[in-house]
Every structure is written in C-alpha cells, then in structure tokens.
Amino acid sequence: MAERYIALLNSTEKIREELFMLIIDSLVKILKSKNRPTQVKYILCQTHQKFLVTHLTPFILTLSDNKDQNFEELILKLVTIIEVMLQRMPGEVVDIVPIIHLRDVVKQFHEKGLVSDQVKRRMKEAKALWEKVKKETGNKALSEKPPDNFRDLSVVPDYKDFQPGAKPFVRANVIDKAYISVEHYLDVQFRLLREDLIIPLRDGVKQLRKEKTMLEKGSQGDRKTTKKRRQVFVYQDVKILNPVCNREGGVYRICIDISHPALQRVQWKKSKRLKFGALVCVSPDSFHTLYFGSVEERDPADLNYGELQIRFDNCNGQQMRYFIENKTSFQMVESD
C-alpha cells in the first residue's frame, strides 16, 4: 500500500484536483500520526521532492482560480503539511517548500475576506519556522566540513555512487550569505554540479533494477506504470567493437542496436542523444555490474549504423579484450 502511495506522490503527470485534495487529507493524517514513525519517514524521504515541487507548488499557484473551495480549511491543512515537513526533514525541504507562494495566496485571500485572521496567524507562524530552519541549516552548511578533497573526486561516477542508500556529501548553494573562502565556493559548486550530472543516471539505474525485479515477479501492470517515469535513455544489445587509438587511452568504438523500436525514428543529425561528453553507464548483467564512461566522439553518419566512441573510466584493457572477444551484450543508459 505504501509503495502505491509513494508512486502516486512521485508521479510526473498532473494529479487531478479531486484526487489531490484526498492526498492532502491523507498526508495531514499521516504526518500527524504517532504510529509507525519509520514508515512515515520513509514515505517523506521517497516523495518530498516530487510532491513539493511537481504537485504542491503548481496547486498553490492556481488556488485563486478555484471559486468553490473552502479555503480556510484547505490552507490550514497546507500549513500543517509544510510545518511538519520542516520539522521532520528540515535540510531536505527548506529550499523547496512553497512557503512564499502560500503566503502570497493567504495575503490575497485575507484581503478579500476569504480566510480569517486565524489563518493569517498560522501562516505567519509557518513562515517564521521556515526562516528559523533556513537560518539553522544555512549555518550548519557553512560550518560542515567535507569528508575529502573535491579535487580527488572523479567527474564520472563510480560504483559506490550507485550503491543502495548512497548519500553523497553535498552542501546547499549559499545565496544570502558569503562563502567562507574560494576553496569553500569551489567545493560546494563542484559537488552540486557533479550530483546534477549523476542523479538522473542513478535514478534511472535504480528504476531499471526495480523493473527487472517486477518482471521476475510477474508484476507487469506496475512495470508499465513505472516505465513512464524513466529519466534515462535505454539502449539494448550494445557491443564493444574495438579500441580506438587515442593519446590518453580508454576509448572504444561501440555499437548500439538501432533496430530497436525506440530508436528507429531517431534522427541522429538533429537528436541531442549521445552528444559529446554525455555520461553513460553500461552493464552486462541488468545493472548489477556497472561501467561508466562518456561520449568521446559521435558522428551522425556512424550513428545511422549504431556506432560511436565511448571513453570508459573504470574498465581495464583486459576486461575490454574479454568483452570484445566474447561479443558481450550490454544494456546502456544515458541521462535524459
């Protein structure tokens, strides 16, 4: 049941208003509940990003269009949701809760007499809590020391970045304060940019692993639903053909299966797929073993035959010779 609820909150498609109202009611009850705190935390951790950014923010921005709504009760529920999220997971939500949008709506409705002074007071309390959390998390981010030197990190990810439960060290971008030093600025920006690069690929690999498990269990219906939410391009029956002479080494010509239905209509000359520098991940065993690389060279004429060059970062020559000689078939994913 929890998984279906999480899938609904993580949906990338617009949720119809009647259903979203039910979600708000249920979420208030879940957040207020003192039972099963671990499950509540799990739901929040899995859904806060999509719920707040994709669903709640647009909902609040269009509230004034709804003339038949009991705004008093609804806004009190929204304030409760935001407050509890700020209390339970401050660092994760402080920069994405739509508190300013909600404040503006409350101000507008209060001037029109659509909400009471009580709602205005509750909104003021919620905003004060948000400001307090923002200040505390900002101070913590400034004082927090990185576990390693960012210069030692590879731009291309490695296997530990994709392990279940992996929590990379990142700090929030400093907006309303000064960075401690140039080193602090470079560290924050590099780690954020690296995560921006890796997150879609990590989520895509996680989703493909989940689909594989569902397929093995025969959950075809759920698999079709989750397939829509992929954030990666998937390439099937990928083969490594041969090494390419290169000053730095590690570059190989590969071939993707362009006969696959998903690729038959791709116009490689115009397509943004597999552009130079694009991050890719290949696996011979349904993404249990991962090899990472980036597109080194792509020629639309070659791509019409499925061929391009990839620079691999965590695969040695002996492994590559084995893959070439045995014509190993891989799956490959690329960030959307």
Side-chain angles (χ1 to χ4, degrees):
M1 186 67 178
E3 292 299 330
R4 290 182 179 275
Y5 190 73
I6 288 169
L8 178 61
L9 294 184
N10 278 333
S11 171
T12 56
E13 299 176 1
K14 183 179 179 180
I15 301 173
R16 68 180 190 275
E17 186 176 319
E18 299 83 3
L19 179 56
F20 195 68
M21 294 298 295
L22 293 174
I23 290 173
I24 290 172
D25 289 340
S26 65
L27 199 54
V28 169
K29 291 178 182 177
I30 289 171
L31 294 176
K32 283 185 172 181
S33 173
K34 295 182 180 179
N35 299 324
R36 300 182 179 179
T38 304
Q39 189 174 26
V40 172
K41 185 176 181 180
Y42 174 72
I43 291 173
L44 288 178
C45 289
Q46 294 293 318
T47 63
H48 68 274
Q49 179 82 27
K50 282 283 193 325
F51 172 73
L52 291 172
V53 177
T54 306
H55 302 302
L56 188 58
T57 299
F59 177 77
I60 289 173
L61 289 173
T62 58
L63 264 180
S64 57
D65 298 335
N66 193 330
K67 307 299 182 185
D68 303 320
Q69 191 61 253
N70 181 349
F71 294 116
E72 182 95 2
E73 183 180 353
L74 174 59
I75 290 175
L76 287 174
K77 289 176 182 177
L78 296 179
V79 167
T80 298
I81 290 171
I82 289 174
E83 282 183 332
V84 176
M85 283 190 162
L86 283 169
Q87 291 163 353
R88 294 201 178 191
M89 46 194 320
E92 291 87 344
V93 305
V94 68
D95 291 323
I96 58 175
V97 287
I99 191 85
I100 301 301
H101 296 313
L102 187 57
R103 179 205 62 184
D104 293 343
V105 169
V106 169
K107 182 180 178 182
Q108 178 186 348
F109 286 176
H110 186 262
E111 290 172 352
K112 293 180 179 180
L114 297 175
V115 295
S116 65
D117 291 342
Q118 180 196 1
V119 172
K120 189 177 179 181
R121 282 195 301 272
R122 289 285 289 114
M123 185 68 245
K124 188 176 180 180
E125 291 169 1
K127 185 171 180 292
L129 173 63
W130 173 72
E131 289 172 345
K132 179 184 176 184
V133 170
K134 194 169 181 65
K135 183 178 180 180
E136 289 174 351
T137 54
N139 290 337
K140 182 181 178 183
L142 285 174
S143 61
E144 204 170 5
K145 301 297 181 184
D148 47 25
N149 191 323
F150 74 92
R151 292 179 177 83
D152 296 331
L153 295 174
S154 168
V155 175
V156 176
D158 56 30
Y159 186 75
K160 68 175 181 288
D161 290 307
F162 284 69
Q163 287 181 321
K167 292 184 178 180
F169 178 82
V170 288
R171 292 177 286 184
N173 198 8
V174 179
I175 299 173
D176 53 355
K177 296 183 180 181
Y179 285 91
I180 297 172
S181 63
V182 173
E183 186 76 5
H184 177 218
Y185 171 79
L186 293 174
D187 184 277
V188 169
Q189 297 303 319
F190 177 81
R191 293 179 193 272
L192 287 174
L193 288 170
R194 186 175 186 270
E195 272 303 293
D196 283 344
L197 180 72
I198 293 174
I199 284 173
L201 205 61
R202 182 193 292 128
D203 290 347
V205 168
K206 180 181 177 181
Q207 186 61 47
L208 288 165
R209 286 170 173 168
K210 184 177 180 181
E211 287 177 20
K212 172 73 172 174
T213 303
M214 287 180 173
L215 183 62
E216 290 172 348
K217 292 180 179 179
S219 304
Q220 290 288 345
D222 288 343
R223 183 171 178 265
K224 288 178 181 177
T225 302
T226 55
K227 194 172 181 179
K228 295 178 182 178
R229 296 196 299 274
R230 285 181 185 168
Q231 292 183 312
V232 291
F233 294 119
V234 183
Y235 303 92
Q236 305 291 345
D237 195 22
V238 177
K239 301 283 176 51
I240 300 172
L241 301 179
N242 56 266
V244 176
C245 290
N246 184 280
R247 184 178 297 176
E248 298 177 9
V251 178
Y252 291 81
R253 181 174 290 275
I254 71 166
C255 183
I256 61 177
D257 178 15
I258 58 169
S259 67
H260 192 278
L263 298 180
Q264 287 181 357
R265 295 186 179 182
V266 176
Q267 298 181 36
W268 293 107
K269 194 170 184 178
K270 298 179 180 179
S271 176
K272 293 183 179 180
R273 287 193 180 197
L274 298 172
K275 286 288 189 181
F276 172 77
L279 183 63
V280 297
C281 173
V282 300
S283 174
D285 53 9
S286 300
F287 296 97
H288 294 292
T289 307
L290 307 175
Y291 300 101
F292 301 97
S294 57
V295 176
E296 180 73 10
E297 185 176 314
R298 60 102 76 187
D299 184 330
D302 290 338
L303 275 169
N304 286 330
Y305 298 97
E307 296 185 7
L308 70 154
Q309 295 179 23
I310 300 289
R311 177 181 296 280
F312 288 96
D313 282 67
N314 65 331
C315 201
N316 60 47
Q318 186 175 353
Q319 286 176 314
M320 285 301 191
R321 282 194 297 273
Y322 174 84
F323 295 146
I324 293 170
E325 291 170 1
N326 289 273
K327 298 182 179 180
T328 304
S329 178
F330 294 85
Q331 280 181 293
M332 183 172 80
V333 292
E334 172 200 12
S335 297
D336 186 347

